[in-house]
Amino acid sequence: MADKDSYDLVVIGSGPGGYVASIRGAQMGMNVALVERNKVGGVCLNYGCMPTKALLKNAEVLSLFQRSKEFGITLDNLRADFSKAVDRSRKVATRLSKGVEYLLKKNKIDLIRGTARFHSHSAPTRLNEKGYPQGQEETKIGITDEKGKDIREIAGRNIIIATGSRSKSMPGVNIDGKRIITSNEAMVLKDLPESMIILGGGAIGVEFAYIFAIYGVKVTIIEMLPHILPIEDSEITAILGRSFKKIGIDIMTGYRVEGVTTGGKGLKVRLSSAKGASEEKESDIVLMAIGREPNSEEIGLKEMNITIKKGYIKVNTRMETDVTGIYAIGDVVGHPLLAHAAMAEGITAVETIAGKERTMPDRLNIPSCTYSHPQVASVGLSEEEAKKRGYDIKIGRFPVRANGKAVAMGEIDGMIKIISDAKNEEILGAHIIGPEATELIGEIVLAKSLKLTPSDISKTVHAHPTLSEMIMEASSAIYEDAI
């Protein structure tokens, strides 16, 4: 398409939130530009969600080969080439990124390569026949190339900021991309180290711990908080910890990193515990996985008087900033830093622009998923959080090892845990660890969103034998009538 100067909607950033917002805008008749300085699809498609799932699948397949005797299969000279797994994951990422580019082209969205920065803004005062703000009152955005050279200037009557996030570091630790790395470098390691220390036991750290451990790397996870996956229910993470120890992963919780230094052939990580004890651990590589921070600098937010707190852009439930016509979505607005949340936020922002009554779903109805093995998935409150909020709760649990389908699959580690309000039967939270947990959580998210009760689930006939029967049984267990 020919270059234009003015658009109904300009989206900055082509990650899951950005490309979904762009496509939804085009579907609603808007003239849309999408600005991207790197690869289409953002971190998720290129260095996050999708390529890690490809690596995890390779690890799961290798794990099955390692357990082949359980299935009556004997193997000799089993060899695993991690570089081939990396190659496959890069092909997955490239294919998906090109797929998104095709969707943008199909929807007649102008993809502008470069870095965006706000130049000026004037609040719109009237609407056109489509109901979108119009007139000279537009936000002007400058586009520069990778060297900082001005390429062009465009204007948008509405702007959606979807600039995402990047790996967070810590004071005194220099990420060199070779020995101290982030998830971006971990994704493309061709030569595996003998040992690795992962700083941070959140979803990113846990997923990479599983991948590298299965490929024979001696992995240690260091987590400052009392348990890995700190946002998850502690009963669930205890099961994950036991499962990880079976495959040789060391987990050190309650330790703070004081520094990382080069020592001999490897790296030395200095630690201090909550009790005041100090310790030192050595490894060949350190993977920084302590979280992510927003990409909110250098795009002119302060000059636009957009409110920012700790780097995150302040928005309301319609994803509006406090500047008319400017919206923000995804990691740059803060918790939860999840691709599916960004997608929902993108649609919410666009439909708000179009004048539709739409707000973001309750944050407690957005699922959290960790694709380790076993998988972990949850929605709503943990047991600890429900008690902290003063709820009188009832809990239904069902062990994975009691499910026929799971036993047949040879996947018996795990549990489903459903927490309900004892007074009105409302589902407060649900937590799953075990096979296909990230797929199973969808049923409970739907039930919770529609305000169904565990009784409603328990009375719903589930196919047999299936993993989903565990949800029915855990729901029944709340009333002490699980079969």
Side-chain angles (χ1 to χ4, degrees):
M1 296 180 66
D3 288 349
K4 302 180 183 69
D5 294 321
S6 180
Y7 296 87
D8 295 319
L9 174 63
V10 175
V11 180
I12 305 172
S14 72
Y19 76 73
V20 166
S22 299
I23 293 169
R24 186 67 184 123
Q27 287 174 340
M28 301 189 79
M30 298 181 196
N31 176 19
V32 183
L34 175 59
V35 184
E36 174 54 57
R37 67 180 180 182
N38 205 323
K39 295 182 179 180
V40 170
V43 170
C44 178
L45 275 190
N46 295 287
Y47 291 99
C49 318
M50 306 317 299
T52 55
K53 302 311 163 281
L55 290 176
L56 282 159
K57 184 61 180 180
N58 272 66
E60 288 173 15
V61 171
L62 177 56
S63 176
L64 279 174
F65 277 114
Q66 293 169 347
R67 297 171 52 201
S68 64
K69 288 185 179 179
E70 294 179 30
F71 301 93
I73 301 170
T74 302
L75 299 171
D76 294 320
N77 301 318
L78 176 64
R79 289 178 293 172
D81 187 341
F82 188 69
S83 67
K84 298 296 184 183
V86 170
D87 290 342
R88 191 179 83 87
S89 77
R90 299 323 304 160
K91 288 177 182 176
V92 168
T94 299
R95 178 176 180 175
L96 291 171
S97 182
K98 287 182 177 179
V100 172
E101 287 190 36
Y102 167 76
L103 288 175
L104 298 175
K105 186 176 181 180
K106 178 184 176 183
N107 285 279
K108 297 180 173 56
I109 295 164
D110 282 358
L111 176 60
I112 301 173
R113 303 283 186 171
T115 299
R117 183 180 177 85
F118 287 104
H119 278 183
S120 64
H121 174 75
S122 179
T125 58
R126 61 188 184 278
L127 304 178
N128 65 12
E129 67 280 0
K130 296 179 183 178
Y132 309 138
Q134 75 163 29
Q136 299 304 309
E137 302 84 357
E138 298 176 316
T139 299
K140 292 184 179 180
I141 296 173
I143 312 295
T144 59
D145 63 16
E146 57 186 14
K147 295 180 180 179
K149 181 182 178 181
D150 291 332
I151 301 174
R152 59 185 290 197
E153 184 179 71
I154 60 174
R157 285 176 280 280
N158 296 279
I159 312 295
I160 296 178
I161 304 165
T163 47
S165 65
R166 61 187 181 274
S167 295
K168 186 187 294 184
S169 186
M170 57 179 61
V173 179
N174 178 38
I175 297 174
D176 59 16
K178 295 179 180 179
R179 302 179 77 179
I180 303 177
I181 63 175
T182 69
S183 56
N184 285 18
E185 292 80 35
M187 197 88 58
V188 293
L189 275 180
K190 291 298 182 88
D191 299 315
L192 288 176
E194 290 186 10
S195 60
M196 174 183 287
I197 290 176
I198 298 178
L199 304 183
I204 295 172
V206 161
E207 289 181 2
F208 276 109
Y210 174 75
I211 292 168
F212 288 115
I214 291 298
Y215 273 88
V217 178
K218 179 59 182 173
V219 176
T220 301
I221 300 175
I222 310 292
E223 171 56 52
M224 183 176 67
L225 295 172
H227 58 81
I228 55 174
L229 297 184
I231 67 170
E232 300 292 349
D233 188 277
S234 61
E235 189 174 6
I236 297 297
T237 59
I239 296 172
L240 181 63
R242 292 194 292 270
S243 180
F244 270 19
K245 286 177 182 177
K246 289 179 185 177
I247 59 173
I249 298 173
D250 288 336
I251 299 172
M252 298 178 65
T253 56
Y255 280 87
R256 181 185 296 274
V257 176
E258 300 297 340
V260 180
T261 56
T262 303
K265 295 182 179 180
L267 297 167
K268 294 182 179 180
V269 180
R270 301 189 310 279
L271 306 169
S272 62
S273 73
K275 298 178 180 179
S278 60
E279 194 166 337
E280 194 170 77
K281 300 287 291 185
E282 291 189 30
S283 73
D284 296 323
I285 283 182
V286 169
L287 169 58
M288 186 69 69
I290 61 172
R292 302 187 65 80
E293 57 188 348
N295 294 322
S296 58
E297 312 92 339
E298 300 178 3
I299 59 174
L301 298 181
K302 290 184 179 179
E303 292 84 346
M304 297 293 291
N305 295 316
I306 293 173
T307 302
I308 306 168
K309 187 175 182 180
K310 295 183 178 179
Y312 294 103
I313 299 173
K314 179 185 175 184
V315 293
N316 61 20
T317 57
R318 295 183 297 275
M319 312 315 298
E320 297 168 312
T321 69
D322 46 13
V323 176
T324 304
I326 300 180
Y327 302 73
I329 63 173
D331 288 8
V332 78
V333 304
H335 180 78
L337 278 64
L338 300 168
H340 46 279
M343 291 173 171
E345 290 166 354
I347 293 172
T348 297
V350 170
E351 295 195 356
T352 296
I353 291 168
K356 292 183 175 290
E357 288 294 326
R358 175 154 182 162
T359 59
M360 267 299 291
D362 185 339
R363 300 285 176 179
L364 291 176
N365 288 339
I366 297 176
S368 175
C369 299
T370 303
Y371 298 82
S372 53
H373 193 86
Q375 293 182 3
V376 177
S378 65
V379 64
L381 302 176
S382 65
E383 179 182 350
E384 298 93 334
E385 185 63 27
K387 288 178 178 177
K388 189 184 297 183
R389 295 191 183 196
Y391 285 103
D392 180 14
I393 63 174
K394 296 181 93 174
I395 297 176
R397 297 177 177 86
F398 191 80
V400 171
R401 65 180 59 248
N403 176 262
K405 179 69 178 292
V407 173
M409 292 169 61
E411 302 287 350
I412 60 172
D413 287 345
M415 178 179 70
I416 291 187
K417 176 179 181 178
I418 299 177
I419 303 162
S420 71
D421 188 332
K423 294 179 181 178
N424 61 17
E425 296 190 77
E426 176 189 359
I427 297 173
L428 299 174
H431 308 270
I432 308 175
I433 179 168
E436 303 301 337
T438 58
E439 300 289 342
L440 293 173
I441 196 66
E443 178 180 342
I444 308 178
V445 174
L446 179 62
K448 188 175 184 301
S449 299
L450 295 177
K451 301 189 183 304
L452 302 180
T453 67
S455 177
D456 294 321
I457 297 174
S458 70
K459 292 173 183 175
T460 301
V461 177
H462 288 63
H464 175 78
T466 60
L467 296 172
S468 66
E469 288 178 280
M470 295 188 290
I471 296 173
M472 177 183 68
E473 294 285 13
S475 299
S476 298
I478 289 177
Y479 308 101
E480 299 182 358
D481 56 7
I483 301 302

